[in-house]
Amino acid sequence: MPTADQQPHILMIPVTAATGAGEYYRSLTIANGLRTRFPQARIEFILNKHSRIEHSPDFPAFYVDGSPTLNTEAVNKILEDNRPDIAIFDGAGRVAQMRHAKRLDIRTVFVSSRPGKRRMGFRWRAMRHMDHHWIAQSGFSHTLSRRERFKLAVLPSAPDIYYLSALFPEPDPETRNAVLSELGIDPAKPYVLFTPGGGGWKVSGQPAGEIFAEAARDFAQDTGTQTIALLGPQYEGPLPDYPGVITCRSLSNRKLINLMHGAHILAVGTGTIAMQALALQRPGVYALTGGSDQPARHRLIERLETGLAVETTGEALYNGVMRLHDNPALRERCLENIRALGLQNDLPVAVNAVDSLLRAKAG
């Protein structure tokens, strides 16, 4: 059985591109969770050297010329040269890469969070080379289609299935107080956070971060409430200077989660950050910012009344936040509906799944 002093070796291979940051930050969250379980673990990343994401210095990285999915030769060489115990492909990877990993006796995990990637994960050729298939952000209930259940039943080497609704470091008072102090927020007064998430997408030609920041400007001007606008780590423009609004590009994932946890109201995109907001049980306004996984989630939020699903305009975001701000009964109704979902932080599920693979490999 692997222990911390045996230094398990884990290679994270997330999609890293010009738009969308959910896969990278999910992988980073898992890496930090694994580091807590296995303090001496060797955890490394394969990343796109052209990505605009600010990569964490806490974990060494191998860089390839573009998406790992499109660089099979380079990825396979890294796998062969380094021989990790486990390779975790988050939205990335091709069958040829996972097949090569299995030939090297590397355990493989495939993470899907978008419809197309989930279909890929249930192709016969792909399933044969996976030990686990983690279905991330799979909606608000975990279900498999009849076709998916059939394939799992008849394939002798079918992967184990795990469901991950939301992943984040657990909030803690010390970190929350530190980030509020860093931003100049009075913890005794309510504050509202506007952020699209990664900030790499454009909506009608305008960066999503700017749309959220403009809504924050109008809200702060009309209410005087403490207001924060995070434009996103992939936002490339200059930071706006709006009276009454604290603006910055991004925060570390731990700081962001703690900031979200204490917010009076959240206005966020409908990607990864939406599942985190719901699992943190905060009243929120949600706008589409790009990504094939978002429309279905946006519709569910509206249908289940777990928040306000609005158009991606500054006016719509402003109006949604004002509705929640002015209507305590509406906020409470949203919170009751969120609690009924039973969403939670599934980081322990991911860490335990990796632990099980390490144990199986050692055995």
Side-chain angles (χ1 to χ4, degrees), residues 15 17 19-26 53 114 197-201 233-234 272:
V15 163
T19 57
E23 291 86 354
Y24 171 72
Y25 285 107
R26 178 165 52 238
I53 295 171
R114 303 172 189 268
W201 298 96
Q234 293 179 308
T272 300

Side-chain angles (χ1 to χ4, degrees), residues 26-98:
R26 178 165 52 238
S27 293
L28 184 59
T29 299
I30 293 169
N32 279 305
L34 291 169
R35 176 62 54 78
T36 300
R37 176 72 61 90
F38 299 105
Q40 302 303 317
R42 179 182 169 191
I43 304 173
E44 299 167 317
F45 281 69
I46 297 180
L47 300 171
N48 175 358
K49 68 180 181 181
H50 303 295
S51 169
R52 301 202 302 264
I53 295 171
E54 184 176 349
H55 301 150
S56 170
D58 296 333
F59 301 99
F62 303 96
Y63 292 96
V64 296
D65 190 17
S67 168
T69 302
L70 303 179
N71 284 269
T72 294
E73 184 177 349
V75 169
N76 283 355
K77 187 172 191 314
I78 293 168
L79 290 169
E80 191 159 345
D81 289 347
N82 292 274
R83 308 290 178 107
D85 295 302
I86 300 173
I88 301 178
F89 298 85
D90 192 331
R94 292 191 180 278
V95 172
Q97 296 171 14
M98 289 184 282

Side-chain angles (χ1 to χ4, degrees), residues 13 68-77 79-80 87 89 92-104 106 108 110 120 123 125-130:
I13 313 174
T69 302
L70 303 179
N71 284 269
T72 294
E73 184 177 349
V75 169
N76 283 355
K77 187 172 191 314
L79 290 169
E80 191 159 345
F89 298 85
R94 292 191 180 278
V95 172
Q97 296 171 14
M98 289 184 282
R99 180 171 59 238
H100 192 67
K102 295 296 286 183
R103 287 173 178 166
L104 298 170
I106 299 168
T108 57
F110 181 72
M120 181 269 186
R123 291 175 185 163
R125 290 173 57 245
M127 292 173 70
R128 290 185 175 93
H129 305 294
M130 297 175 189

